[in-house]
Amino acid sequence: MNIISGLVNTGLHVRQQAVPARLVVLALATALLLTVAGQASASQIRVEGNQRIEAETVRQYIRLKPDREATDEELDRALKALFDSGLFADVEVRRDGLDIVVRVVENPIINRIAFEGNKRISDEDLRGEIELRPRIVFTRPRVQRDVQRIVDIYRRSGRYTASVEPKVIQLPQNRLDLIFEIAEGSLTEIRSITFTGNRAFDDGDLREVIQTKESAWYRIFSSGDTYDPDRLAFDRELLRRHYLSEGYADFRVITAAGELTPEKDAFFITFSVSEGSRYKFGKIDIESALKEIDIEALRAELTAASGDWYDAEEVENTIGKLTDALGNQGYALAEVQPRIRRDRGNLAIDVSFVISESARVVVERIDISGNIRTEDSVIRREMLLVEGDIFNTYRLRRSRQRITNLGFFDKIDVTREPGSADDRTIIKVAVREKATGELSVGLGYSTEGGALTDLSIRERNLLGQGQDLQLNLKLGVQQTEIVLGFTEPYFLEKDLSAGFDIFRTTDDLQAQSSYDSERIGFGLRAGYRITEPLSQRWTYTLEQTEIHNVGANASRAVREEQGKTLTSSIGQTLLYDTRDNRFDPNEGYSVQLRNVFAGLGGDRTNLRNEVEGDYFHPLTEDLTLIAIVGAGYIFDFGEPTRLSERYFLGGSSLRGFRSRGTGPRDQATTDALGGNWFYRASLRLSFPLGLPDELGLKGSVFSDAGTLSGIDLASATPIRDESSLRATIGAGLSWVSPVGPMTFSWAWPIAKENFDKTEVFRLGIGTRF
């Protein structure tokens, strides 16, 4: 209308200029033709071949306008955009007159993914690594990427000849099944490991340092003899630490390379190193920017001396000891940094430990990762730092140790990262869980008592909440025992442990004391921490003890105690523990004092007092000295101590003597009667046997000593009671076997009485599930 109106106006103007009428008609016709032609030039975008994907979705990808003619460059971009979407196997974009035609062939949908030929790696593990999933679009690039992922998994497990062939099975409705056919191949062994540039240590010494190992028959239970690039990178760090601990401060690994044989069945590993010169400690000093600190008192924490070979680990150990000492003195914000100066002329390294007060840093957040079963709260309650606390290095280190002592994880990393501001920090706790269920089997043998089987089933992290549930079943020639115990470590969400035990024990003591006994009862427990190393536990026990089936020729002291006795007792245990690890200690000590009062009802009244301590001292990296001492005494209140209440010594408490093998005996019948007091001590040195670490074998030598004495009887029974010292020497062997840890021990008495009962060999077996 605008055009026509304009022309009409123009016509009026022309008429005013006396233009002929035929020109007006010609102008109108021309305008009409132009309008029709403009409408006819409008193009359309037609989508063909699509089945699941809407046409409008295709138009969104190509981004072409239907009301104007597309250029060749725009058509090319549209084609690439459709291919890049991953939705189509084939795409065609062309002109059809004024229209644009887009013809597509859709990629099929994956119906199922399967694996064939895999025996070493499960389907579940493979599915966790690949990108493709059922009900998503199938594309060849994705398949090729997943093929490479599977091959990489097998290479990490040492199978470099593994191959993967993807196969598809076409299904109706443009669907397919995808099958990865896997040829796993054989293990690619490490044929040799060599070193170049090493002068101070030969190749054999350095092979013991690294985790990668040469293939050997005894490494059938180890993966260290398969090629792993990540392990090789860690080996570089292990070599560096080794040389730094031996004084080679300039050491570096130049290259660490693995060469694959043409047959792809073995690797040759070569480490090229530069050792540099060996340094000694020069001047070792402590500097402090805090005037209140007594530097002389801190010098006792120095673990190295001038003239010793330089050891980077000793520097780190000293920093830890100084930091702990400062934290214990109340300097929570003190930092210790080493200042190291090389004297290359004299091959000496001067070390100054500089103490300064760091800025106040607040814990902004604590992030916990890696725990799958274990709840976050179980880990958080072991942290001595919480959000909002002033950061403290000592408390962070103790927190890590407390998490380790849970026994739920085989790897724990506790690190710091910068927070949202300069005065804030984020604590990262990364853990890797291990099996917390335990199935242990113990076997024992004595020259007189025969065999014993001990079965224990335990879950120390029930439902991931840190609860401890335990069932012990002991079946043997002389003893059966059933104990059901449960412990809640944080009762009522407080730092208070609580639990109970239900037990029934029967003992065949005919060979030792000419009677059988049965104990049945229950106990309640509650414990709490007084300070970080000091804790206390309270117990209440109600039990019934029966002495029965007394032999006709039994001691008179035994015959007089036939029948049942009910005991109601309350006890406490104080424990002071500085060990670095509660389950596998290597350093530190613990001391505990136990007192049990019987007399809260029941038939008996007495007071038992026991003290026990152990000490762990690493002599070298491989040698650990372990000392254990213990003693006990029973106070009577007006009546003699009964047979079931006395102490007995022997077996595991005094190796080389059988259970109840020492102490007072009936002079005529030789029945063991027990004693009112005892003391014992044990000294053990554990050491490697010089065999490959993969065998898991360690040796030990030990000496046990102790005595048991003191007895009061209601009747005049002739007894033999010598308080002389008993002592043994022995040797042991521990083996981390494929079925679990095994211990063997041989012990021979070097001090005993002629009425004592001895045994030589003991065996223990355990495993985890």
Side-chain angles (χ1 to χ4, degrees):
M1 288 297 296
N2 293 335
I3 296 174
I4 296 175
S5 176
L7 291 174
V8 170
N9 292 334
T10 303
L12 290 174
H13 177 70
V14 170
R15 280 197 297 272
Q16 291 174 1
Q17 297 296 323
V19 176
R22 62 179 180 275
L23 294 179
V24 176
V25 175
L26 180 61
L28 289 171
T30 302
L32 183 60
L33 289 173
L34 289 173
T35 301
V36 173
Q39 292 176 347
S41 66
S43 62
Q44 296 182 4
I45 299 176
R46 301 202 311 270
V47 179
E48 300 176 354
N50 55 312
Q51 300 177 22
R52 301 183 315 274
I53 302 170
E54 297 291 337
E56 187 57 34
T57 301
V58 177
R59 295 188 182 100
Q60 290 293 329
Y61 276 110
I62 62 177
R63 297 184 177 181
L64 295 178
K65 302 296 183 180
D67 57 350
R68 66 180 182 83
E69 185 176 356
T71 65
D72 290 341
E73 292 181 357
E74 290 174 328
L75 294 178
D76 186 56
R77 283 198 299 267
L79 184 69
K80 291 180 179 179
L82 291 174
F83 271 118
D84 292 341
S85 70
L87 299 174
F88 309 105
D90 194 16
V91 177
E92 180 186 5
V93 180
R94 60 183 175 81
R95 293 189 182 90
D96 184 8
L98 297 176
D99 293 344
I100 296 175
V101 177
V102 181
R103 179 175 293 277
V104 297
V105 177
E106 295 178 352
N107 273 320
I109 295 294
I110 297 175
N111 175 65
R112 182 176 65 96
I113 298 177
F115 303 92
E116 293 182 356
N118 55 309
K119 297 179 181 178
R120 305 293 178 179
I121 302 177
S122 66
D123 289 5
E124 182 180 354
D125 290 340
L126 292 174
R127 287 193 185 97
E129 291 287 339
I130 64 175
E131 174 186 352
L132 290 170
R133 295 287 184 273
R135 296 185 297 279
I136 70 172
V137 175
F138 170 92
T139 67
R140 294 190 180 278
R142 285 179 177 176
V143 173
Q144 293 304 317
R145 289 196 295 269
D146 282 347
V147 166
Q148 187 59 46
R149 287 190 179 96
I150 296 172
V151 170
D152 290 342
I153 295 172
Y154 275 98
R155 287 185 174 180
R156 289 199 299 269
S157 64
R159 297 180 182 272
Y160 269 75
T161 58
S163 61
V164 180
E165 184 70 25
K167 298 292 181 64
V168 297
I169 300 176
Q170 298 291 341
L171 300 175
Q173 300 177 350
N174 201 23
R175 296 177 303 122
L176 59 79
D177 288 344
L178 175 60
I179 301 174
F180 292 99
E181 293 185 353
I182 301 171
E184 294 184 322
S186 58
L187 282 171
T188 308
E189 65 179 15
I190 295 179
R191 191 160 295 169
S192 71
I193 301 175
T194 57
F195 298 83
T196 62
N198 53 310
R199 301 184 307 276
F201 304 96
D202 61 30
D203 287 13
D205 294 332
L206 297 181
R207 290 191 194 105
E208 292 298 320
V209 173
I210 61 177
Q211 284 191 344
T212 304
K213 304 296 182 183
E214 292 180 345
S215 297
W217 64 269
Y218 51 78
R219 293 197 172 100
I220 56 176
F221 302 110
S222 170
S223 62
D225 59 348
T226 57
Y227 179 76
D228 185 344
D230 294 334
R231 188 189 296 122
L232 208 62
F234 184 57
D235 288 339
R236 298 171 66 112
E237 176 62 17
L238 292 176
L239 288 170
R240 188 187 72 85
R241 294 178 188 176
H242 171 71
Y243 271 93
L244 287 178
S245 68
E246 297 292 337
Y248 293 89
D250 297 329
F251 172 82
R252 61 192 180 95
V253 179
I254 301 173
T255 60
E259 182 181 354
L260 186 63
T261 62
E263 297 80 12
K264 296 186 178 181
D265 62 345
F267 271 96
F268 295 93
I269 308 296
T270 303
F271 291 91
S272 178
V273 302
S274 172
E275 291 181 334
S277 300
R278 193 179 189 189
Y279 291 80
K280 290 186 176 182
F281 278 109
K283 182 180 179 182
I284 302 177
D285 199 4
I286 300 176
E287 301 177 11
S288 175
L290 306 177
K291 297 180 180 179
E292 300 84 359
I293 293 177
D294 185 357
I295 294 180
E296 294 303 319
L298 291 177
R299 293 190 187 278
E301 305 298 332
L302 297 176
T303 60
S306 298
D308 293 345
W309 291 113
Y310 175 75
D311 187 344
E313 290 184 2
E314 285 299 320
V315 175
E316 292 297 323
N317 292 338
T318 301
I319 292 173
K321 289 181 177 295
L322 289 173
T323 302
D324 291 347
L326 291 167
N328 292 335
Q329 294 177 20
Y331 296 96
L333 300 179
E335 274 194 355
V336 181
Q337 295 291 339
R339 181 187 297 152
I340 295 176
R341 187 180 68 84
R342 282 182 176 83
D343 183 352
R344 299 186 186 277
N346 296 317
L347 295 180
I349 294 180
D350 298 333
V351 182
S352 292
F353 296 96
V354 181
I355 302 172
S356 61
E357 186 171 13
S358 63
R360 294 173 65 89
V361 178
V362 176
V363 177
E364 179 179 1
R365 194 172 71 247
I366 299 176
D367 294 338
I368 300 173
S369 62
N371 51 316
I372 300 173
R373 292 181 58 246
T374 307
E375 296 182 359
D376 280 10
S377 59
V378 174
I379 301 174
R380 287 185 181 277
R381 65 197 185 195
E382 300 300 328
M383 296 291 296
L384 297 178
L385 292 168
V386 298
E387 284 86 349
D389 282 355
I390 301 297
F391 177 78
N392 184 294
T393 303
Y394 173 75
R395 286 179 174 269
L396 186 66
R397 186 179 297 109
R398 287 292 301 167
S399 297
R400 187 190 186 284
Q401 184 174 347
R402 285 167 59 114
I403 297 172
T404 301
N405 287 339
L406 290 173
F408 302 161
F409 314 105
D410 60 9
K411 184 178 180 181
I412 303 168
D413 291 323
V414 181
T415 57
R416 294 177 55 191
E417 292 187 1
S420 60
D422 292 340
D423 62 346
R424 297 182 181 274
T425 188
I426 298 172
I427 297 176
K428 299 278 190 178
V429 181
V431 299
R432 185 175 65 193
E433 293 178 324
K434 67 179 181 181
T436 54
E438 297 179 4
L439 172 63
S440 63
V441 180
L443 299 177
Y445 174 80
S446 73
T447 55
E448 298 184 20
L452 174 71
T453 301
D454 186 1
L455 174 66
S456 175
I457 300 175
R458 183 180 184 185
E459 174 52 64
R460 294 181 290 105
N461 188 15
L462 186 65
L463 302 177
Q465 298 179 359
Q467 298 166 335
D468 191 339
L469 180 64
Q470 185 171 9
L471 174 63
N472 289 333
L473 175 62
K474 184 179 290 185
L475 301 173
V477 175
Q478 296 180 340
Q479 184 182 68
T480 63
E481 180 182 63
I482 300 176
V483 179
L484 174 64
F486 176 79
T487 303
E488 168 56 64
Y490 272 74
F491 186 60
L492 300 177
E493 300 299 323
K494 298 183 181 298
D495 192 5
L496 173 69
S497 66
F500 67 85
D501 300 290
I502 303 173
F503 56 88
R504 180 180 182 272
T505 303
T506 63
D507 289 282
D508 179 358
L509 301 170
Q510 297 292 337
Q512 299 96 339
S513 303
S514 300
Y515 72 92
D516 295 339
S517 74
E518 180 184 60
R519 295 173 58 246
I520 184 170
F522 73 90
L524 302 176
R525 296 176 274 107
Y528 50 86
R529 195 184 303 272
I530 300 174
T531 64
E532 182 59 27
L534 181 64
S535 61
Q536 187 174 33
R537 184 177 70 169
W538 291 88
T539 60
Y540 172 77
T541 305
L542 181 66
E543 69 174 76
Q544 176 182 276
T545 304
E546 181 182 7
I547 293 178
H548 61 98
N549 197 22
V550 177
N553 298 322
S555 169
R556 180 181 178 183
V558 175
R559 296 197 305 270
E560 290 177 344
E561 297 200 15
Q562 291 187 82
K564 298 180 180 179
T565 303
L566 183 66
T567 303
S568 176
S569 62
I570 186 171
Q572 73 86 34
T573 301
L574 274 174
L575 172 64
Y576 191 88
D577 192 352
T578 66
R579 294 174 298 178
D580 58 346
N581 189 307
R582 188 175 62 182
F583 299 98
D584 186 20
N586 186 56
E587 187 175 5
Y589 66 91
S590 70
V591 179
Q592 59 180 348
L593 171 67
R594 288 189 294 267
N595 309 99
V596 180
F597 174 73
L600 301 178
D603 303 324
R604 306 299 302 158
T605 304
N606 56 49
L607 178 65
R608 300 170 67 91
N609 305 277
E610 300 168 14
V611 63
E612 184 174 322
D614 51 34
Y615 174 72
F616 299 83
H617 179 67
L619 300 176
T620 66
E621 184 177 354
D622 298 321
L623 296 177
T624 302
L625 184 67
I626 303 169
I628 301 174
V629 295
Y633 193 92
I634 302 176
F635 288 99
D636 295 323
F637 295 95
E639 56 185 357
T641 307
R642 290 182 63 86
L643 182 63
S644 59
E645 299 170 330
R646 299 187 193 116
Y647 295 115
F648 292 89
L649 196 63
S652 59
S653 61
L654 189 60
R655 288 166 292 187
F657 295 89
R658 63 175 293 186
S659 179
R660 298 183 175 223
T662 67
R665 293 184 179 276
D666 187 297
Q667 187 170 343
T669 66
T670 70
D671 287 337
L673 302 178
N676 286 358
W677 61 266
F678 80 94
Y679 64 83
R680 69 183 185 92
S682 177
L683 190 66
R684 176 164 62 95
L685 178 66
S686 63
F687 52 85
L689 296 175
L691 299 172
D693 293 339
E694 290 76 11
L695 291 180
L697 287 168
K698 283 190 175 182
S700 65
V701 292
F702 61 85
S703 177
D704 291 351
T707 193
L708 171 70
S709 186
I711 184 171
D712 49 351
L713 299 175
S715 61
T717 302
I719 62 172
R720 301 189 67 175
D721 181 14
E722 298 290 342
S723 61
S724 60
L725 182 70
R726 275 72 159 182
T728 64
I729 58 172
L733 179 67
S734 65
W735 177 31
V736 183
S737 72
V739 298
M742 303 179 65
T743 58
F744 309 82
S745 64
W746 295 263
W748 298 269
I750 56 175
K752 71 181 187 69
E753 296 297 330
N754 57 9
F755 56 85
D756 291 335
K757 307 297 183 180
T758 63
E759 73 174 12
V760 175
F761 176 68
R762 292 184 70 84
L763 165 68
I765 304 175
T767 189
R768 288 175 178 265
F769 66 89

